[in-house]
Amino acid sequence: AESTPEEFLSILQVLRDRGALVDTFTKKRIHRKQLPITADDTLLVVGDHDTMTKAFQMLGVPFEKETSVSGGGVDKLKRKKRILSRDILPSDCYPPPLQKYMGRSFYETTQTMLLEEVKMKGGLRMFVKPKNEVKKFTGRVITTLYDVQSLPSDTYLYVCDCVHFMSEFRFFVQSGCVIGIQCYKGDPCLQSKLNMVIIKKAIDDLESSPYKTAAYALDFGLVSHTYKSEDSVTTDYKDVDSLFDTLLVEWNDAYSLGSYGFSSQHYTDMLIARWQEVARHVQHISQQN
């Protein structure tokens, strides 16, 4: 989930209370490049995912070329498209250091390849979401050929085992430390059942990898201990002393995520920290050139 208008208003109030000079703008202005956005870490832009993508372009985040899907499988890709550098703006919702905490099998594919798989198997029940273009569509369960045909044909997909999360919690992380936890689905009283040892280990693994950022959110969910995945990637998530397993739902970058009632003060601090990190990256690249 992205930030909502109410969250934008709360950030606006926090910044004004701190004495910051704040102005609002329309999407039209940023799409027309009418805002003075530069690689200045004293500046901050706040908006939805599309707005922030435009802001990062204006900030000077470099583009890289990615081979995109073009009417075939992974081995038949033809077209190149420009995307914002993933060294600065990682977009994989299942970054490699965290994949062992998912507790379910998954694989990368394309719509064309998935269509062939469904035709061959006569149907399947799987959860599908975009791999990198995270706002391309909302993750969903697919069961029919029509479901697959409704997916975009020009992006990579993650296909995962379906898992019933009894409750889901967002962990807000800044500088490697958890600064808040919010339940966004299910029973918040189940928070005490989360295996914090597993969650801390996941954060430590991410923080010691090239995929870490200054601020981000990790979503974890509780699954009944009776859940079994036929092809689980790992058993690291197993908690033999609990009725539940603590599994990773996904990773989200801090610059555009829902707060679910999290402290507006800390939420604003996360946005500032992430913007400053991106601005410093751009400054460093400019100095090298």
Side-chain angles (χ1 to χ4, degrees):
E2 293 186 60
S3 302
T4 64
E6 292 76 17
E7 288 166 338
F8 294 149
L9 290 174
S10 69
I11 295 166
L12 185 67
Q13 188 59 52
V14 168
L15 293 172
R16 284 176 172 165
D17 289 345
R18 294 180 182 182
L21 297 175
V22 185
D23 193 10
T24 57
F25 60 90
T26 62
K27 275 193 172 184
K28 184 181 292 186
R29 286 182 64 196
I30 197 165
H31 278 267
R32 291 181 176 178
K33 299 183 178 180
Q34 295 174 341
L35 299 178
I37 298 175
T38 58
D40 182 352
D41 58 12
T42 64
L43 179 74
L44 174 67
V45 178
V46 178
D48 61 17
H49 188 271
D50 182 53
T51 298
M52 295 307 298
T53 298
K54 294 296 181 183
F56 288 133
Q57 290 178 16
M58 295 173 66
L59 185 68
V61 174
F63 283 91
E64 62 186 47
K65 287 186 177 180
E66 179 193 60
T67 305
S68 64
V69 180
S70 180
V74 173
D75 59 341
K76 295 181 180 179
L77 303 180
K78 303 174 183 177
R79 186 165 56 87
K80 294 280 186 177
K81 62 181 176 181
R82 298 173 77 221
I83 59 171
L84 290 173
S85 170
R86 292 203 180 119
D87 289 336
I88 300 176
L89 296 171
S91 55
D92 191 339
C93 55
Y94 304 144
L98 299 180
Q99 290 175 359
K100 62 184 177 181
Y101 299 101
M102 292 173 61
R104 56 200 183 276
S105 64
F106 70 98
Y107 58 93
E108 180 184 333
T109 188
T110 67
Q111 186 221 34
T112 302
M113 295 177 70
L114 195 55
L115 279 170
E116 293 302 317
E117 183 179 351
V118 173
K119 290 176 182 177
M120 183 174 63
K121 294 182 178 179
L124 76 166
R125 178 179 171 81
M126 301 291 280
F127 179 79
V128 178
K129 68 181 303 179
K131 179 187 176 185
N132 291 308
E133 298 174 86
V134 292
K135 303 302 179 182
K136 190 92 172 182
F137 66 91
T138 302
R140 66 192 71 160
V141 174
I142 59 167
T143 58
T144 67
L145 196 62
Y146 175 79
D147 292 337
V148 181
Q149 290 171 336
S150 69
L151 298 172
S153 60
D154 62 345
T155 190
Y156 288 106
L157 307 172
Y158 271 137
V159 178
C160 312
D161 288 341
C162 290
V163 177
H164 174 61
F165 287 104
M166 301 182 68
S167 288
E168 297 179 31
F169 300 83
R170 173 155 291 179
F171 285 73
F172 297 87
V173 183
Q174 184 175 343
S175 301
C177 298
V178 175
I179 60 173
I181 307 171
Q182 294 293 132
C183 178
Y184 62 89
K185 181 181 178 182
D187 185 357
C189 295
L190 289 177
Q191 181 176 326
S192 62
K193 303 298 182 182
L194 288 165
N195 188 322
M196 297 304 296
V197 173
I198 288 175
I199 293 168
K200 183 181 185 305
K201 186 178 177 184
I203 293 172
D204 289 344
D205 285 351
L206 184 62
E207 287 292 319
S208 60
S209 79
Y211 298 90
K212 72 172 183 177
T213 59
Y216 53 89
L218 291 184
D219 296 345
F220 279 90
L222 288 169
V223 176
S224 170
H225 216 23
T226 58
Y227 160 77
K228 290 185 182 295
S229 172
E230 294 179 358
D231 301 304
S232 292
V233 177
T234 178
T235 57
D236 287 5
Y237 61 87
K238 283 293 182 184
D239 185 356
V240 295
D241 298 321
S242 172
L243 296 175
F244 304 97
D245 293 326
T246 298
L247 307 185
L248 176 75
V249 179
E250 64 181 10
W251 170 92
N252 286 283
D253 206 339
Y255 68 82
S256 181
L257 53 82
S259 69
Y260 298 117
F262 178 49
S263 160
S264 55
Q265 294 282 348
H266 292 319
Y267 185 52
T268 302
D269 289 338
M270 289 181 69
L271 295 175
I272 293 172
R274 187 66 179 110
W275 177 272
Q276 290 178 338
E277 182 181 39
V278 174
R280 286 194 295 269
H281 273 298
V282 173
Q283 291 170 1
H284 179 68
I285 292 170
S286 299
Q287 291 168 0
Q288 287 183 325
N289 295 335

PDB file of all heavy atoms in Angstrom, residues 37 76 84 93 176 181 237 245-247 257:
ATOM      1  N   ILE A  37      13.666  20.655  -8.348  1.00  0.00           N
ATOM      2  CA  ILE A  37      14.177  19.500  -7.609  1.00  0.00           C
ATOM      3  C   ILE A  37      15.623  19.244  -8.016  1.00  0.00           C
ATOM      4  O   ILE A  37      15.923  19.012  -9.189  1.00  0.00           O
ATOM      5  CB  ILE A  37      13.319  18.253  -7.883  1.00  0.00           C
ATOM      6  CG1 ILE A  37      11.885  18.494  -7.390  1.00  0.00           C
ATOM      7  CG2 ILE A  37      13.918  17.022  -7.207  1.00  0.00           C
ATOM      8  CD1 ILE A  37      10.933  17.368  -7.710  1.00  0.00           C
ATOM      9  N   LYS A  76      13.492 -15.263 -24.570  1.00  0.00           N
ATOM     10  CA  LYS A  76      13.107 -14.657 -25.844  1.00  0.00           C
ATOM     11  C   LYS A  76      12.889 -13.153 -25.704  1.00  0.00           C
ATOM     12  O   LYS A  76      12.119 -12.552 -26.431  1.00  0.00           O
ATOM     13  CB  LYS A  76      11.827 -15.305 -26.373  1.00  0.00           C
ATOM     14  CG  LYS A  76      11.980 -16.782 -26.723  1.00  0.00           C
ATOM     15  CD  LYS A  76      10.677 -17.326 -27.268  1.00  0.00           C
ATOM     16  CE  LYS A  76      10.814 -18.806 -27.613  1.00  0.00           C
ATOM     17  NZ  LYS A  76       9.535 -19.358 -28.116  1.00  0.00           N
ATOM     18  N   LEU A  84      15.060   3.421 -13.635  1.00  0.00           N
ATOM     19  CA  LEU A  84      15.918   4.103 -12.675  1.00  0.00           C
ATOM     20  C   LEU A  84      16.851   3.096 -12.018  1.00  0.00           C
ATOM     21  O   LEU A  84      16.471   1.968 -11.721  1.00  0.00           O
ATOM     22  CB  LEU A  84      15.065   4.811 -11.625  1.00  0.00           C
ATOM     23  CG  LEU A  84      14.276   6.026 -12.133  1.00  0.00           C
ATOM     24  CD1 LEU A  84      13.337   6.531 -11.052  1.00  0.00           C
ATOM     25  CD2 LEU A  84      15.210   7.136 -12.578  1.00  0.00           C
ATOM     26  N   CYS A  93      10.827  -6.904  -4.341  1.00  0.00           N
ATOM     27  CA  CYS A  93      10.096  -7.068  -3.079  1.00  0.00           C
ATOM     28  C   CYS A  93      10.563  -8.288  -2.288  1.00  0.00           C
ATOM     29  O   CYS A  93      10.253  -8.410  -1.104  1.00  0.00           O
ATOM     30  CB  CYS A  93       8.600  -7.149  -3.345  1.00  0.00           C
ATOM     31  SG  CYS A  93       8.135  -8.434  -4.519  1.00  0.00           S
ATOM     32  N   GLY A 176      18.884   0.250  10.420  1.00  0.00           N
ATOM     33  CA  GLY A 176      19.007  -1.107  10.934  1.00  0.00           C
ATOM     34  C   GLY A 176      18.235  -1.392  12.199  1.00  0.00           C
ATOM     35  O   GLY A 176      18.301  -2.514  12.723  1.00  0.00           O
ATOM     36  N   ILE A 181       6.068  -0.870  14.865  1.00  0.00           N
ATOM     37  CA  ILE A 181       5.383  -2.051  14.331  1.00  0.00           C
ATOM     38  C   ILE A 181       3.897  -1.735  14.249  1.00  0.00           C
ATOM     39  O   ILE A 181       3.314  -1.233  15.217  1.00  0.00           O
ATOM     40  CB  ILE A 181       5.585  -3.292  15.231  1.00  0.00           C
ATOM     41  CG1 ILE A 181       7.070  -3.540  15.503  1.00  0.00           C
ATOM     42  CG2 ILE A 181       4.942  -4.526  14.602  1.00  0.00           C
ATOM     43  CD1 ILE A 181       7.327  -4.605  16.564  1.00  0.00           C
ATOM     44  N   TYR A 237      12.449 -20.575   8.926  1.00  0.00           N
ATOM     45  CA  TYR A 237      11.331 -19.851   9.507  1.00  0.00           C
ATOM     46  C   TYR A 237      10.609 -20.663  10.578  1.00  0.00           C
ATOM     47  O   TYR A 237       9.760 -20.150  11.291  1.00  0.00           O
ATOM     48  CB  TYR A 237      10.329 -19.473   8.408  1.00  0.00           C
ATOM     49  CG  TYR A 237       9.743 -20.680   7.712  1.00  0.00           C
ATOM     50  CD1 TYR A 237       8.619 -21.325   8.211  1.00  0.00           C
ATOM     51  CD2 TYR A 237      10.347 -21.201   6.574  1.00  0.00           C
ATOM     52  CE1 TYR A 237       8.103 -22.447   7.597  1.00  0.00           C
ATOM     53  CE2 TYR A 237       9.831 -22.320   5.945  1.00  0.00           C
ATOM     54  CZ  TYR A 237       8.714 -22.938   6.461  1.00  0.00           C
ATOM     55  OH  TYR A 237       8.215 -24.054   5.850  1.00  0.00           O
ATOM     56  N   ASP A 245       4.131 -19.988  12.504  1.00  0.00           N
ATOM     57  CA  ASP A 245       5.405 -19.706  11.856  1.00  0.00           C
ATOM     58  C   ASP A 245       5.409 -18.240  11.449  1.00  0.00           C
ATOM     59  O   ASP A 245       4.386 -17.693  11.021  1.00  0.00           O
ATOM     60  CB  ASP A 245       5.595 -20.578  10.610  1.00  0.00           C
ATOM     61  CG  ASP A 245       5.747 -22.051  10.955  1.00  0.00           C
ATOM     62  OD1 ASP A 245       6.337 -22.345  12.013  1.00  0.00           O
ATOM     63  OD2 ASP A 245       5.270 -22.897  10.180  1.00  0.00           O
ATOM     64  N   THR A 246       6.552 -17.604  11.582  1.00  0.00           N
ATOM     65  CA  THR A 246       6.715 -16.200  11.210  1.00  0.00           C
ATOM     66  C   THR A 246       7.379 -16.146   9.842  1.00  0.00           C
ATOM     67  O   THR A 246       8.545 -16.520   9.699  1.00  0.00           O
ATOM     68  CB  THR A 246       7.576 -15.460  12.254  1.00  0.00           C
ATOM     69  OG1 THR A 246       6.911 -15.506  13.528  1.00  0.00           O
ATOM     70  CG2 THR A 246       7.798 -14.013  11.851  1.00  0.00           C
ATOM     71  N   LEU A 247       6.633 -15.699   8.832  1.00  0.00           N
ATOM     72  CA  LEU A 247       7.135 -15.677   7.459  1.00  0.00           C
ATOM     73  C   LEU A 247       7.195 -14.253   6.921  1.00  0.00           C
ATOM     74  O   LEU A 247       6.351 -13.417   7.246  1.00  0.00           O
ATOM     75  CB  LEU A 247       6.230 -16.499   6.531  1.00  0.00           C
ATOM     76  CG  LEU A 247       5.906 -17.939   6.919  1.00  0.00           C
ATOM     77  CD1 LEU A 247       5.104 -18.607   5.805  1.00  0.00           C
ATOM     78  CD2 LEU A 247       7.166 -18.726   7.212  1.00  0.00           C
ATOM     79  N   LEU A 257       5.360   4.179   1.071  1.00  0.00           N
ATOM     80  CA  LEU A 257       4.701   3.040   1.704  1.00  0.00           C
ATOM     81  C   LEU A 257       3.648   3.536   2.684  1.00  0.00           C
ATOM     82  O   LEU A 257       3.701   4.665   3.164  1.00  0.00           O
ATOM     83  CB  LEU A 257       5.713   2.121   2.399  1.00  0.00           C
ATOM     84  CG  LEU A 257       6.703   2.699   3.406  1.00  0.00           C
ATOM     85  CD1 LEU A 257       6.076   2.863   4.774  1.00  0.00           C
ATOM     86  CD2 LEU A 257       7.915   1.783   3.534  1.00  0.00           C
TER      87      LEU A 257
END
